[in-house]
């Protein structure tokens, strides 16, 4: 049957989620549709453009591109895109559908002025991306800190992929509470990255409310004082092997002096075996580096070149889930 590729219709989302579920092995009863719509319809950087491949009235494949915004060293907004969520129906795989949909997306996003693409593809899709103009930018540096001695032993056993879904936690307070006030949220930023501010996600109040607002993800906040501007850590709990991990999505700090007391408060508060975080070197000082384990980032130029990984100040909030 002839395969046609075109922009997806809003009415096709249920079919797309069903195909994604079949191709990615999603388990029924999990909030996958809520997560999909949260990513692709509720993103404050803009709804995701989506493309489909159809054979007659059959959905043979789909491709989405999540919109993202960075601030560059001058503070200017840089529009990027992330190839998050694509699948070809197993019956149609190996016929170039992923390639066709992805190159159509590349052309349309470049024409629209999107600057570059970044993602952490899985083993199935990475070979294809590398043939379509992507290149490996390197592994995002991660580091960990056990919360106690016995926890350190459990952490050592955590050598498998983390669970996709969060575990509920009562530590700290619900993260959305922290970002309810625009004036407060606007002041909450990661540590200044010193001489080279590089590229960092455009953390607006709307971004925070979206990024930490999906109830199914159970994001929590631990703050140094009543006022979150004194220092705030955002995390969620996940199982990994026999351990419970506190995935530290963001550390929002007024200055470097707040880092050590905030990490101490977090270690004391979380019901987890270890903290896991990513970010510029100074954030990882005093933590155990985990060489070779961070997600492998790939990038592709569109309307301009992609920055090197060394200039992208990525926290786990920028990487996990997408
Ligand atoms: C990954 C996936 C989308 C590829 O779809 P597809 O339509 O079969 O891919 P294409 O036919 O367009 O292949 C494009 C290239 O990707 C590579 N490729 C495709 N499937 C691959 C696989 N399973 N393993 C390794 N490389 C693969 C091939 O090298 C191919 O290059 P070629 O043109 O030289 O043959 C499909 O296997 C799939 O749906 N997987 C499950 C969902 C998934 O993992 N999605 C990605 C994460 S969101």
């Amino acid at each position: 049957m002839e395969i046609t590729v075109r922009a997806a219709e809003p009415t096709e989302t249920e079919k797309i989620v069903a195909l994604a579920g079949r191709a990615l092995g999603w388990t029924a009863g999990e909030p996958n549709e809520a997560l999909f719509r949260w990513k692709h319809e509720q993103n404050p950087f803009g709804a995701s453009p989506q493309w489909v491949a159809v054979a007659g009235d059959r959905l043979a494949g789909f491709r989405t591109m999540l919109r993202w915004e960075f601030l560059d060293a001058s503070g200017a907004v840089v529009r990027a895109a992330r190839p998050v969520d694509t699948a070809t129906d197993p019956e149609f795989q190996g016929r170039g559908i992923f390639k066709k949909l992805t190159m159509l997306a590349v052309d349309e996003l470049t024409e629209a002025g999107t600057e570059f693409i970044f993602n952490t593809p899985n083993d199935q899709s990475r070979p294809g991306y590398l043939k379509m103009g992507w290149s490996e930018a390197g592994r995002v540096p991660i580091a960990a800190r056990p919360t106690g001695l016995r926890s350190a032993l459990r952490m050592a056993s955590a050598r498998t992929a983390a669970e996709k879904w969060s575990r509920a936690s009562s530590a700290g307070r619900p993260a959305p509470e922290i970002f309810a006030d625009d004036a407060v949220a606007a002041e909450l930023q990661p540590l200044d990255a010193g001489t080279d501010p590089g590229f960092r996600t455009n953390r607006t109040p709307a971004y925070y409310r979206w990024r930490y607002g999906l109830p199914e993800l159970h994001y929590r906040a631990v703050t140094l004082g009543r006022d979150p501007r004194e220092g705030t850590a955002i995390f969620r709990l996940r199982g990994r092997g026999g351990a419970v991990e506190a995935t530290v999505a963001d550390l929002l700090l007024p200055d470097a002096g707040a880092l050590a007391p905030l990490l101490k408060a977090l270690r004391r508060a979380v019901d987890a075996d270890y903290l896991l975080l990513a970010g510029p070197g100074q954030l990882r000082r005093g933590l155990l580096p985990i060489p070779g384990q961070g997600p492998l980032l790939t990038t592709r130029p569109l309307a301009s070149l992609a920055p090197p990984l060394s200039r992208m100040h990525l926290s786990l909030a920028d990487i996990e889930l997408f």
Side-chain angles (χ1 to χ4, degrees), residues 23-24 85-88 93-99 122-125 127-128 131:
L24 289 158
D85 295 332
T86 185
T88 301
Q93 286 180 4
R95 299 191 205 175
I97 287 175
F98 162 57
K99 194 170 175 179
N122 66 16
D123 294 342
Q124 284 203 43
S125 55
K131 286 181 186 162

Side-chain angles (χ1 to χ4, degrees), residues 247-297:
T247 309
V248 184
D250 259 328
L251 287 173
L252 308 170
L253 300 156
D255 54 54
L259 176 60
L262 180 60
L263 285 176
K264 194 172 177 186
L266 186 59
R267 273 175 60 215
R268 287 223 173 107
V270 291
D271 30 2
D273 293 305
Y274 62 94
L275 311 178
L276 186 79
L277 62 89
Q282 70 209 58
L283 270 189
R284 290 179 278 118
R285 212 162 290 143
L287 279 75
L288 294 172
I290 312 182
Q293 295 299 314
L296 181 56
L297 191 84

Side-chain angles (χ1 to χ4, degrees), residues 107-172:
D107 292 346
E108 292 191 11
L109 288 169
T110 306
E111 209 169 306
T114 306
E115 308 280 349
F116 65 89
I117 277 179
F118 69 107
N119 59 330
T120 53
N122 66 16
D123 294 342
Q124 284 203 43
S125 55
R126 191 170 49 248
Y129 286 122
L130 296 176
K131 286 181 186 162
M132 293 187 254
W134 270 249
S135 46
E136 290 186 1
R139 285 195 183 277
V140 177
I142 54 171
R145 179 79 187 255
T147 53
L149 203 54
R150 256 183 290 178
S151 297
L153 297 173
R154 277 194 292 273
M155 182 178 103
S157 74
R159 293 184 174 283
T160 56
E163 292 166 355
K164 176 175 173 182
W165 300 104
S166 310
R167 298 191 180 183
S169 168
S170 57

